[in-house]
């Protein structure tokens, strides 16, 4: 009986002691969690980004492996599971989901996630997330922790910002003679989305090596841009529609015109539709922007419309133009130089020959009787470049290389824009062709055009 009584007393003591220890732990946990002011209501506004730099992700993953810090439901992870996830890291299929605390620079969320989860509202982590910045620093060390803060690696910012504070979503005046745009009206249907309406202009077509001064035509019209979710990058739109018409303008470089120049020979309508639509066919194609551009002439000029007084003058004219292209931005980071991007496209246009008869005061179509399809010239091109939208100086540099399939001549060029604080800058285009046959000299084999840029954006 004494032994039973002693056992019961000892058991009661241990149970009470365990309860007291648990109570103390709960109390300490409560104190620790309240060291930071609870900002759960601001979770959606906290600074949030994904680390997409494969090398940096490997380094972070390795620190967790060395410290045996991987947990699933609070339990240690076996080596086989870690090796399996490591293979995904090797393939570049793992990124890091980060969230910064609301009131300071520390972190309150860190998790390794599959790249397939990145587009979801709540990406599912591969392991238990780290919700304590100080514990995270203990695992990865001060050097890596500070490197995360510096953002000196490739990352994607997915912070939710109120659209009122976003870049260029109220009023945007972009005074660039080559591609001017005045965004004058915006609205929203769900707070996060945005519709923008702009006046826009366009001068020339680099895809077919046709600068604006050869055709004496300037495109002007209206553009509608839609953002499903506004962000820091104004080029991350969902879709964009530009409709315009051609306008007669004088040719600024008359001495540079070829012997058989090209003239605008009728009223035209222009259209351009682009958007991030390929993702609806395949999720992996998100961010590949499909672009379709076209120009068509719906009326022909008469003799009096040209104003040409030269005797029996001959010239060329383009009635139809089309281009289909795909562009991909932000392929990878070139460190401080910016983000690398690529694109490719196919283009085509017809080319008519005309003669002014002063005797009959009429316009003679020298291509009359020919099959219209035989008048088309086809082009294929690729382009690549780098852009940087941050810092004091912004730049957007593009290199284009193409080929004419009819006469197999090559052409290449540069399209570059440099801005200071996104306010003052310049825009330059240069293109040269190689091996153009003499009978195709309806334009010169090279050109350079330059425009200052003034931008007001808020």
């Amino acid at each position: 009986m004494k032994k039973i009584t002693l056992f019961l007393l000892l058991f009661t003591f241990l149970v009470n002691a365990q309860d007291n220890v648990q109570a103390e732990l709960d109390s300490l946990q409560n104190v620790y969690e309240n060291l930071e002011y609870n900002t759960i209501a601001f979770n959606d506004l906290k600074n949030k980004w994904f680390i997409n730099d494969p090398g940096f992700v490997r380094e972070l993953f390795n620190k967790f492996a060395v410290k045996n810090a991987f947990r699933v439901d609070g339990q240690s992870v076996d080596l086989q599971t870690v090796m399996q996830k490591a293979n995904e890291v090797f393939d570049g299929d793992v990124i890091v989901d980060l969230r910064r605390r609301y009131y300071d620079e520390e972190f309150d969320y860190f998790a390794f996630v599959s790249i397939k989860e990145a587009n979801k509202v709540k990406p599912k982590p591969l392991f238990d997330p780290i919700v304590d910045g100080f514990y995270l620093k203990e695992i990865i060390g001060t050097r890596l922790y500070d490197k995360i803060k510096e953002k000196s690696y490739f990352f994607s910012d997915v912070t939710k910002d109120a659209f009122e504070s976003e870049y260029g979503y109220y009023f945007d005046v972009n005074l660039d003679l080559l591609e001017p745009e005045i965004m004058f009206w915006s609205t929203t249907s769900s707070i996060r989305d945005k519709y923008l309406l702009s006046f826009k202009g366009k001068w020339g077509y680099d895809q077919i090596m046709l600068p604006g001064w050869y055709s004496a035509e300037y495109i002007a019209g209206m553009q509608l841009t839609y953002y499903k979710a506004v962000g820091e990058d104004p080029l991350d739109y969902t879709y964009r529609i530009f409709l315009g018409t051609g306008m007669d303008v004088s040719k600024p470089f008359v001495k540079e015109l070829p012997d058989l120049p090209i003239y605008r020979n009728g009223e035209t309508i222009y259209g351009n539709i682009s958007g991030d639509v390929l993702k609806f066919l395949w999720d992996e194609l998100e961010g590949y922007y499909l672009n379709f551009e076209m120009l068509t002439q719906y009326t022909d000029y008469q003799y009096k419309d040209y104003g040409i007084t030269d005797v029996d003058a001959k010239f060329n004219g383009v009635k139809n133009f089309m281009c289909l292209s795909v562009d991909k931005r932000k392929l990878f980071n070139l460190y401080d130089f910016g983000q690398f991007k690529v694109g490719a496209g196919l283009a085509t246009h017809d080319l008519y020959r005309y003669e002014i008869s002063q005797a009959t005061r009429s316009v003679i179509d020298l291509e009359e009787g020919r099959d219209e399809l035989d008048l088309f010239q086809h082009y294929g091109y690729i382009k690549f470049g780098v852009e940087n939208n941050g810092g004091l100086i912004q730049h957007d540099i593009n290199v284009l290389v193409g080929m004419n399939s009819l006469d197999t001549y090559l052409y290449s060029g540069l399209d570059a824009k440099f801005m200071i604080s996104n306010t003052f800058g310049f825009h330059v285009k240069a293109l040269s062709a190689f091996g153009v046959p003499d009978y195709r000299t309806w334009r010169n084999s090279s050109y350079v055009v330059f425009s200052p840029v003034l931008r007001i954006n808020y």
Side-chain angles (χ1 to χ4, degrees), residues 326-332 334 337 339-345 381-387 395-402 411-416:
V326 177
D327 297 290
K328 174 60 177 175
R329 302 170 56 238
K330 302 178 182 178
L331 274 177
F332 53 84
L334 293 175
F337 196 50
Q339 304 286 339
F340 187 77
K341 58 181 180 178
V342 298
Y381 70 90
I382 59 173
K383 61 180 181 179
F384 57 90
V386 61
E387 59 182 351
H395 59 258
D396 186 2
I397 303 172
N398 300 276
V399 176
L400 181 144
V401 179
Y411 58 99
S412 62
L414 174 72
D415 182 347

Side-chain angles (χ1 to χ4, degrees), residues 4-209:
I4 294 175
T5 302
L6 182 61
F7 175 77
L8 290 175
L9 289 173
L10 181 60
F11 178 77
T12 302
F13 173 78
L14 291 175
V15 170
N16 290 334
Q18 183 176 3
D19 290 340
N20 290 335
V21 171
Q22 186 62 44
E24 291 292 335
L25 289 174
D26 292 342
S27 178
L28 288 173
Q29 179 71 17
N30 185 56
V31 171
Y32 181 78
E33 289 179 350
N34 284 278
L35 287 175
E36 179 195 5
Y37 180 68
N38 194 329
T39 58
I40 189 173
F42 297 92
N43 277 353
D44 64 331
L45 297 179
K46 293 178 180 178
N47 196 250
K48 180 179 173 65
W49 67 92
F50 291 117
I51 298 178
N52 298 333
D53 190 316
F56 194 33
V57 171
R58 285 194 182 207
E59 196 170 2
L60 293 170
F61 189 91
N62 188 68
K63 282 290 185 181
F64 271 76
V66 171
K67 290 294 185 71
N68 192 26
F70 294 118
R71 299 288 185 273
V72 173
D73 297 330
Q75 303 298 317
S76 297
V77 179
D78 60 84
L79 181 59
Q80 182 179 358
T81 301
V82 173
M83 292 302 299
Q84 178 185 350
K85 301 304 180 184
N87 288 330
E88 296 181 22
V89 173
F90 300 156
D91 295 334
D93 294 333
V94 175
I95 59 179
V96 174
D97 186 3
L98 274 172
R99 188 178 68 203
R100 182 175 284 166
R101 296 200 305 197
Y102 190 70
Y103 286 119
D104 59 23
E105 300 295 311
E106 309 305 327
F107 300 101
D108 67 359
Y109 189 88
F110 177 102
F112 292 100
V113 301
S114 170
I115 197 170
K116 297 178 181 179
E117 296 284 321
N119 294 327
K120 297 182 180 180
V121 177
K122 293 183 178 180
K124 183 180 179 181
L126 300 178
F127 308 99
D128 290 350
I130 305 299
V131 295
D132 178 6
F134 299 101
Y135 178 47
L136 176 62
K137 183 186 291 187
E138 181 182 335
I139 297 173
I140 65 176
T142 302
R143 182 183 66 84
L144 292 183
Y145 191 83
D146 291 339
K147 184 177 179 180
I148 294 178
K149 288 183 178 181
E150 294 170 0
K151 292 187 176 180
S152 56
Y153 46 82
F154 182 41
F155 67 92
S156 297
D157 196 313
V158 291
T159 305
K160 175 184 175 182
D161 292 326
F163 66 83
E164 289 85 359
S165 65
E166 287 297 345
Y167 174 94
Y169 297 126
Y170 273 110
F171 186 71
D172 187 16
V173 177
N174 189 5
L175 301 180
D176 178 354
L177 293 176
L178 304 182
E179 295 178 345
E181 182 176 358
I182 301 177
M183 190 273 286
F184 63 92
W185 182 79
S186 64
T187 188
T188 181
S189 61
S190 63
I191 299 180
R192 284 291 291 160
D193 70 353
K194 205 70 171 174
Y195 294 88
L196 310 180
L197 196 60
S198 308
F199 294 118
K200 188 171 182 180
K202 179 180 175 61
W203 198 38
Y205 310 93
D206 288 349
Q207 307 96 317
I208 56 175
M209 200 183 163

Side-chain angles (χ1 to χ4, degrees), residues 9 13 26 45 52 74 84 148 160 263 283 301 305 312 365-366 371 393 421 441-442:
L9 289 173
F13 173 78
D26 292 342
L45 297 179
N52 298 333
Q84 178 185 350
I148 294 178
K160 175 184 175 182
Y263 284 106
D283 292 341
Y301 277 171
D305 298 318
D312 298 331
D365 184 356
L366 300 179
D371 188 339
I393 300 178
S421 297
T441 54
W442 54 274

